[in-house]
């Protein structure tokens, strides 16, 4: 993996996902998919909390339940955060979109 290919994948992902609050999961899994399918780079999306100076900005209190049948819509709130790990590099594409 090169930093240039990572930067290119990030730009592709940012251009393809519309601006919206709370889109960290969509943006993170989008980046993982672009890295895997367009660049053959392995990455993982990580779910958890986001704290700044010991103050929780996003806190994962509980998990959203899994659908019990195909095409079931789950309408629940989730307060955590999602980011991407590529080897020892952390990528948080949504931080400036969700910081508002």
């Amino acid at each position: 993996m090169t930093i240039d290919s990572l930067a290119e994948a990030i730009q592709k992902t940012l251009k393809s996902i519309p601006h919206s609050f709370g889109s960290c999961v969509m943006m993170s899994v989008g980046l993982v998919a672009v890295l895997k399918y367009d660049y053959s780079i392995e990455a993982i999306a990580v779910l958890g909390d986001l704290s700044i100076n010991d103050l929780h900005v996003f806190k994962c209190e509980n998990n959203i339940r899994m659908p019990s049948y195909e095409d079931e819509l789950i309408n629940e709130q989730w307060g955590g955060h999602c980011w991407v790990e590529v080897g020892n590099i952390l990528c948080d594409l949504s931080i400036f979109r969700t910081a508002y």
Side-chain angles (χ1 to χ4, degrees), residues 24-62:
C24 61
V25 174
M26 183 184 349
M27 293 178 77
S28 295
V29 297
L31 177 58
V32 168
V34 168
L35 287 167
K36 180 176 184 175
Y37 295 108
D38 291 355
Y39 297 90
S40 299
I41 296 172
E42 292 297 319
I44 60 169
V46 181
L47 301 169
D49 300 334
L50 174 63
S51 300
I52 299 173
N53 293 331
D54 295 326
L55 178 67
H56 279 97
V57 178
F58 297 103
K59 179 145 178 69
C60 181
E61 297 287 342
N62 53 25

Side-chain angles (χ1 to χ4, degrees), residues 5 26 39 75 78 82 87 89 91 98:
S5 57
M26 183 184 349
Y39 297 90
N75 187 16
W78 179 72
C82 188
I89 299 172
C91 301
T98 60

